[in-house]
Amino acid sequence: MVILGLKFFMLNLIFLLFAATLDRSGLIKRIMDLGVKKGGRVGFHILLSTIFILSPLYLFPVFLYRLPNVSKRINKEKTGLTLLMAAVMLGSILLPFGNQRNLFFSTYFITTREGFSPLRELVPHIWPYWVLLLAFLNLVAYLLRVEVQDNLVKLEKVRYQELILSGIALFFIFPFAMGKLNFLGFIFLTGFLFFAFISKETIKRVRWWFLLPPAIAIPLSMMPLKIPVPLKGLPMLFVPFISSGFITSDLSAIVFSSIRINMPTIIMGVAGGSLLGLWGGFELIYIYFIRKERFKPVLLSLIGVFVFLLGLLTLKL
């Protein structure tokens, strides 16, 4: 089913353009700088919470690009970077287009289930765990006494042209996520919007590295339909979780897709697995191998285990 992989690739391209446009507006950097400017432990909690809350808008490429510089202002640089990475990756699970794993599941169900609404199927079930994860990360940051030390930042002005363009894109994104706008309509409208009005400076901000997993997904997207994996109950959570530590959560999302899966359960499984080791998710590969930044994989893996344990509660859904 190559068409599934092609859809996934095109959706990622549109969302990467959206993220770059919002980044170009300067709003994201300004919001992050407000947390840094506050300074101290309160400043770090504001920074962590802000990143977590905004991540569901497919902003992980923007945050991951900016986090290494931000972490240098933190008293415990590696610990701070690790917690902020966890905030990006776990905060993004709330919406069906928050990260590439969620987006693949949404693309899969939209393709295989007529009239499927990813937003209605996911958000009502996942938001309680999302809130608990936000509280948990803040608790860990408090116990580890992480704080912002260097709070000397200059707040940049917001560029309203890109901000308005991003806002218009959201008017198409949410109807698509609700199943009220079909794939072709969404691609045509958002594609025309971005390619007609996007600037060269915005194009330079697109994090093209994150098109690699969707490109790999094109041939691999045939696997779930040819080799269905009937996971039920605990294996639906455990198998994607543990396999992510070996083949990355991005590939786990593709391999274990099935019309019989419980969407909240498998999302919690791959979300926890995405934090394992150095290649649980492509985000970790990007930070460690491409950006060559160092974080604490053991701490990140322990957070992933907590996500798995929290995911056990979704088995009753």
Side-chain angles (χ1 to χ4, degrees), residues 6 9-10 17 21 35 79 104 106 111 123 126 139 147 151 163 180 193 199 216 231 248 262 286-287 301 305:
L6 291 174
F9 183 89
M10 294 177 69
L17 291 173
T21 302
T79 301
F104 182 83
S106 299
T111 303
V123 176
I126 209 75
L139 176 62
E147 62 182 70
N151 65 340
L163 189 59
K180 295 182 178 180
L193 180 68
S199 67
I216 295 174
L231 300 178
T248 80
N262 178 345
Y286 173 77
I287 289 290
S301 298
V305 172

Side-chain angles (χ1 to χ4, degrees), residues 21 28 71 97 108 195 223 250:
T21 302
I28 302 303
S71 66
F97 51 82
Y108 179 85
F195 288 104
M223 293 180 60
D250 303 88

Side-chain angles (χ1 to χ4, degrees), residues 17-28 62 66 156-163 166 198-203 205:
L17 291 173
F18 166 76
T21 302
L22 196 53
D23 183 34
R24 171 65 173 153
S25 74
L27 179 63
I28 302 303
V62 178
R66 295 191 175 278
E156 296 182 1
K157 293 183 178 180
V158 174
R159 294 174 53 88
Y160 290 100
Q161 179 180 343
E162 283 80 9
L163 189 59
S166 302
I198 202 167
S199 67
K200 291 182 180 179
E201 288 300 318
T202 300
I203 292 293
R205 292 173 181 258

Side-chain angles (χ1 to χ4, degrees), residues 47-308:
L47 179 63
L48 183 144
S49 299
T50 300
I51 289 173
F52 186 95
I53 292 169
L54 291 177
S55 287
L57 293 177
Y58 198 94
L59 293 178
F60 69 90
V62 178
F63 286 133
L64 291 176
Y65 178 79
R66 295 191 175 278
L67 286 187
N69 290 332
V70 173
S71 66
K72 291 178 173 56
R73 297 175 176 273
I74 298 171
N75 64 331
K76 300 178 180 180
E77 184 177 338
K78 290 183 181 179
T79 301
L81 177 59
T82 302
L83 292 176
L84 293 177
M85 287 170 58
V88 172
M89 298 171 70
L90 296 180
S92 64
I93 69 172
L94 179 65
L95 295 179
F97 51 82
N99 58 51
Q100 294 181 319
R101 294 169 289 278
N102 283 27
L103 189 56
F104 182 83
F105 288 129
S106 299
T107 307
Y108 179 85
F109 284 120
I110 288 171
T111 303
T112 56
R113 291 185 186 179
E114 186 176 352
F116 181 80
S117 171
L119 204 63
R120 288 196 295 266
E121 291 290 333
L122 178 61
V123 176
H125 301 297
I126 209 75
W127 76 263
Y129 308 104
W130 184 77
V131 172
L132 288 174
L133 288 172
L134 174 59
F136 175 73
L137 289 179
N138 275 282
L139 176 62
V140 174
Y142 176 80
L143 294 176
L144 295 179
R145 306 181 68 85
V146 185
E147 62 182 70
V148 176
Q149 284 188 328
D150 180 5
N151 65 340
L152 297 177
V153 294
K154 182 180 179 181
L155 298 180
E156 296 182 1
K157 293 183 178 180
V158 174
R159 294 174 53 88
Y160 290 100
Q161 179 180 343
E162 283 80 9
L163 189 59
I164 292 172
L165 184 59
S166 302
I168 295 173
L170 285 174
F171 278 106
F172 301 130
I173 290 173
F174 278 98
F176 173 68
M178 294 174 66
K180 295 182 178 180
L181 179 63
N182 63 30
F183 172 79
L184 290 177
F186 175 74
I187 292 297
F188 175 79
L189 291 171
T190 53
F192 173 80
L193 180 68
F194 285 124
F195 288 104
F197 298 103
I198 202 167
S199 67
K200 291 182 180 179
E201 288 300 318
T202 300
I203 292 293
K204 292 178 182 179
R205 292 173 181 258
V206 178
R207 308 306 167 196
W208 299 109
W209 278 107
F210 290 99
L211 279 180
L212 184 58
I216 295 174
I218 294 176
L220 292 183
S221 60
M222 295 183 290
M223 293 180 60
L225 299 181
K226 289 187 175 182
I227 312 175
V229 182
L231 300 178
K232 295 182 180 180
L234 182 60
M236 190 188 302
L237 177 71
F238 179 75
V239 175
F241 169 76
I242 202 68
S243 66
S244 296
F246 297 95
I247 63 173
T248 80
S249 56
D250 303 88
L251 295 183
S252 290
I254 297 171
V255 172
F256 298 109
S257 294
S258 167
I259 59 174
R260 295 184 294 275
I261 64 173
N262 178 345
M263 195 171 180
T265 297
I266 199 165
I267 281 179
M268 291 294 286
V270 296
S274 70
L275 303 179
L276 298 179
L278 297 176
W279 50 80
F282 187 73
E283 297 93 331
L284 307 189
I285 295 174
Y286 173 77
I287 289 290
Y288 191 85
F289 294 102
I290 298 174
R291 293 295 302 275
K292 300 187 184 302
E293 299 289 340
R294 297 298 176 257
F295 55 90
K296 293 191 172 182
V298 174
L299 174 60
L300 202 61
S301 298
L302 290 175
I303 295 173
V305 172
F306 176 81
V307 178
F308 168 78

